[in-house]
Amino acid sequence: MRSDAVTKGLTRAPHRSLFYSMGLTDKEIALPKIGVVNSYNELVPGHIHLKELVEEVKAGIYMSGGVPMEFNTIAICDGIAMGHEGMNNSLPTREIIADSIEATAYAMPFDALVFMPSCDKVVPGMLMAAMRLNLPSIFVSGGPMLAGKFQGKKIGISDLFEYVGKVQNKEMTLEELNEAEHEVCKTCGSCSGMYTANTMNCLTEALGIALPGNGTIPSVYSERKRLAKETGMQIMELLKRDIKARDILNRDSLYNSVVVDMALGGSTNTTLHIPAIAYEGGISLDLNVFDEISKKTKQIIKLSPASSIFIEDFNEAGGVSAVLNVLKKYNLLKSNNTVSLRNILEVAENGGVLDKDVIRDFSNPYFTSGGISILKGNLAPKGAVVKSGAVHPSMLVHKGTAKVFNCEESATEAILGGNIEKGDVIVIKYEGPKGGPGMREMLSPTGALSGMGLDMYCALITDGRFSGGSRGAAIGHISPEALDGGLIAYVKDGDYIEIDIPNKKLELLVSNEEIEERKKNMSILEKNVKNRMLQKYMKLVSDASEGAVMK
């Protein structure tokens, strides 16, 4: 066993003494050591209950002859970090999470690992670590929260961001907003719509690195506890058979994850995370793969924020296994092993659609291509990303005049201040991986646009990114970014911008001569960043089109 390096032999007497000091017996010291990577803290709704859930995982490990050894990594709440300087630090935590797990697992030679994420950057950060370490590995998340209820309908956290705009637009009172904010997050768990956290947790099933149900079983169901216990038991089977992370996480499983992502209409952040996971395994996976798969896949699920259907409804309709079942019928999945010790095609065969109003067939899709589209043009020669399945039909093709802002806050202020007119294209630059730095999410401005009733008339484009809670013609990840001299840096108020999502185009309608003149006369904004972690991040992070990985 890998852990023999610190438990066996004459020279390991000092090491064993330290295990004794922690209360381990001779028998336990001789058994396999299973690292349980817990992201519990008291900062994040999706993680606050992991202290209890981890005990179920450890019970499963003990029941199956292993010794669980728990350690923690960080997690932040993007909802709480949204709309202020805290969001600059969100995406960089993905790298910190991966690094901290890698360091710990080398320092303590575990025989296998159970990963317990829940929210946005923790899932991909842990997947990156699993790819680097290549040990027998399995994932179980904390599960989604249940939707809230307000004025007779289900609501999620993205609705609250939109309600701010409604209050400003005098369509809602402060008293109503106060009632809604008390009702929206009724339980612990990752936020209740198809936001980034739940998208990534669903994709752990598509990747085959988690047991069926991991992406959708609500956090407060007893079924989630049983899943955690079964996960603890299953890691021992993977260890026994020497099935390592890269036996599961490979080119075919990554391909399957993009297919499922397109069918789900998931968060655009997956176009950062899936390439980053691939990068850690030495696999090249760029935005062109998303574009190719989008052309042959159809969006068959449409969850909040694009509809009033939530993850709990998706779970009742059959969950990810049901989506896999539909995709298998149309020969869109590649054969690959999973941690259940069944091929992904077998998992798909055992799935079934229980509610055809929630999970549709290709004959009646929500969107005739994948839920995410990759746009290119002179504004984004390396690509830009939009959740096309959440765009109002009236905005799929749009030409409008630019209103330009150098940061998210000034754009949000202009929206709430009534300074945006129907037809405008809001341009937010200097929010990319380097320019932000940290590539902030833009749920505050997109939520304000929707709340002000402008999402059907205005587009928002940025070199930053969007929360999975954003909807409308919100186009992000523009590459190259402004700080790298991308054309978005030279857009001016009043410029015409053309958006054609069906034909995958994003163009600044300014002559080449004018663009060259601007490049001579306009300066790139300099960022004075005091945060030491972000200073390092700016120097090492790659373009968004490459997954914003550290190089």
Side-chain angles (χ1 to χ4, degrees), residues 175-424:
E175 291 74 21
E176 288 174 317
L177 178 63
N178 182 257
E179 181 186 346
E181 67 185 83
H182 280 82
E183 295 297 323
V184 64
C185 298
K186 298 295 284 186
T187 72
C188 59
S190 48
C191 295
S192 54
M194 189 53 79
Y195 313 136
T196 304
N198 289 327
T199 300
M200 288 306 302
N201 283 318
C202 286
L203 295 190
T204 60
E205 291 189 51
L207 288 164
I209 201 71
L211 295 175
N214 183 57
T216 60
I217 297 170
S219 60
V220 294
Y221 284 13
S222 297
E223 190 179 355
R224 175 61 58 177
K225 291 184 176 181
R226 295 197 298 273
L227 180 70
K229 198 170 293 181
E230 289 163 1
T231 298
M233 296 164 66
Q234 193 66 12
I235 191 62
M236 299 307 296
E237 284 296 317
L238 296 170
L239 177 59
K240 187 187 302 181
R241 297 168 188 247
D242 196 30
I243 297 173
K244 296 184 172 69
R246 291 195 192 184
D247 296 325
I248 307 292
L249 300 173
N250 53 40
R251 187 176 296 280
D252 287 344
S253 70
L254 290 162
Y255 179 95
N256 287 340
S257 73
V258 179
V259 173
V260 171
D261 189 22
M262 291 298 173
L264 296 177
S267 165
T268 51
N269 284 311
T270 57
T271 62
L272 293 173
H273 299 325
I274 297 174
I277 296 159
Y279 175 79
E280 299 297 348
I283 300 166
S284 175
L285 192 154
D286 60 23
L287 291 179
N288 292 325
V289 175
F290 287 83
D291 193 41
E292 291 163 11
I293 293 174
S294 179
K295 290 174 183 174
K296 55 189 176 184
T297 310
K298 298 183 181 183
Q299 185 179 342
I300 57 173
I301 299 280
K302 193 173 185 179
L303 301 184
S304 174
S307 78
S308 58
I309 304 170
F310 288 81
I311 292 288
E312 64 201 68
D313 305 309
F314 180 27
N315 185 63
E316 297 299 321
V320 177
S321 295
V323 173
L324 292 170
N325 184 273
V326 175
L327 295 171
K328 178 180 180 292
K329 184 166 73 172
Y330 291 94
N331 299 313
L332 287 171
L333 297 176
K334 293 182 181 289
S335 174
N336 201 64
N337 294 326
T338 73
V339 292
S340 69
L341 304 181
R342 294 179 293 165
N343 191 285
I344 193 73
L345 301 179
E346 294 177 65
V347 175
E349 192 65 39
N350 289 329
V353 177
L354 304 178
D355 187 337
K356 293 183 179 179
D357 291 329
V358 175
I359 303 173
R360 296 185 178 182
D361 191 77
F362 272 31
S363 60
N364 179 38
Y366 283 101
F367 201 66
T368 54
S369 64
I372 294 174
S373 294
I374 308 301
L375 311 185
K376 291 191 176 181
N378 66 353
L379 256 178
K382 290 173 129 184
V385 182
V386 61
K387 189 191 274 195
S388 44
V391 179
H392 191 275
S394 65
M395 288 299 297
L396 289 170
V397 177
H398 180 74
K399 184 167 76 170
T401 53
K403 291 277 180 72
V404 182
F405 305 93
N406 284 343
C407 67
E408 173 193 2
E409 288 85 352
S410 57
T412 303
E413 184 180 340
I415 295 166
L416 293 175
N419 297 319
I420 302 300
E421 300 173 0
K422 290 182 178 180
D424 284 345

Side-chain angles (χ1 to χ4, degrees), residues 11-278:
T11 60
R12 296 308 184 233
H15 302 67
R16 289 191 294 273
S17 73
L18 294 169
F19 285 111
Y20 293 139
S21 77
M22 293 186 283
L24 270 68
T25 65
D26 286 328
K27 184 174 181 180
E28 287 173 309
I29 290 173
L31 291 172
K33 308 296 182 297
I34 312 301
V36 181
V37 193
N38 193 359
S39 51
Y40 161 78
N41 64 34
E42 295 180 345
L43 310 176
V44 188
H47 297 245
I48 198 163
H49 62 303
L50 294 182
K51 183 186 284 188
E52 291 76 35
L53 201 61
V54 74
E55 297 305 319
E56 306 294 342
V57 171
K58 292 195 279 191
I61 293 169
Y62 266 127
M63 287 164 58
S64 300
V67 177
M69 302 189 77
E70 179 186 353
F71 66 98
N72 276 70
T73 189
I74 64 168
I76 65 170
C77 177
D78 276 20
I80 295 171
M82 197 77 66
H84 59 93
E85 67 178 359
M87 183 50 70
N88 294 90
N89 299 273
S90 174
L91 186 58
T93 66
R94 187 186 70 179
E95 317 305 316
I96 296 170
I97 290 161
D99 288 350
S100 67
I101 296 167
E102 182 183 26
T104 304
Y106 274 114
M108 171 61 212
F110 297 113
D111 299 300
L113 292 166
V114 177
F115 293 86
M116 297 190 66
S118 210
C119 291
D120 291 33
K121 309 309 166 294
V122 189
V123 188
M126 287 190 176
L127 284 164
M128 290 161 66
M131 195 66 118
R132 292 181 192 178
L133 292 162
N134 197 29
L135 296 172
S137 300
I138 193 168
F139 278 61
V140 61
S141 78
M145 68 170 63
L146 298 177
K149 286 190 178 178
F150 173 64
Q151 295 183 343
K153 70 168 190 174
K154 289 182 178 180
I155 59 170
I157 189 67
S158 59
D159 292 289
L160 262 291
F161 282 89
E162 295 183 14
Y163 291 169
V164 172
K166 285 183 180 290
V167 171
Q168 194 71 19
N169 212 28
K170 302 193 185 314
E171 295 179 35
M172 178 180 278
T173 66
L174 282 171
E175 291 74 21
E176 288 174 317
L177 178 63
N178 182 257
E179 181 186 346
E181 67 185 83
H182 280 82
E183 295 297 323
V184 64
C185 298
K186 298 295 284 186
T187 72
C188 59
S190 48
C191 295
S192 54
M194 189 53 79
Y195 313 136
T196 304
N198 289 327
T199 300
M200 288 306 302
N201 283 318
C202 286
L203 295 190
T204 60
E205 291 189 51
L207 288 164
I209 201 71
L211 295 175
N214 183 57
T216 60
I217 297 170
S219 60
V220 294
Y221 284 13
S222 297
E223 190 179 355
R224 175 61 58 177
K225 291 184 176 181
R226 295 197 298 273
L227 180 70
K229 198 170 293 181
E230 289 163 1
T231 298
M233 296 164 66
Q234 193 66 12
I235 191 62
M236 299 307 296
E237 284 296 317
L238 296 170
L239 177 59
K240 187 187 302 181
R241 297 168 188 247
D242 196 30
I243 297 173
K244 296 184 172 69
R246 291 195 192 184
D247 296 325
I248 307 292
L249 300 173
N250 53 40
R251 187 176 296 280
D252 287 344
S253 70
L254 290 162
Y255 179 95
N256 287 340
S257 73
V258 179
V259 173
V260 171
D261 189 22
M262 291 298 173
L264 296 177
S267 165
T268 51
N269 284 311
T270 57
T271 62
L272 293 173
H273 299 325
I274 297 174
I277 296 159

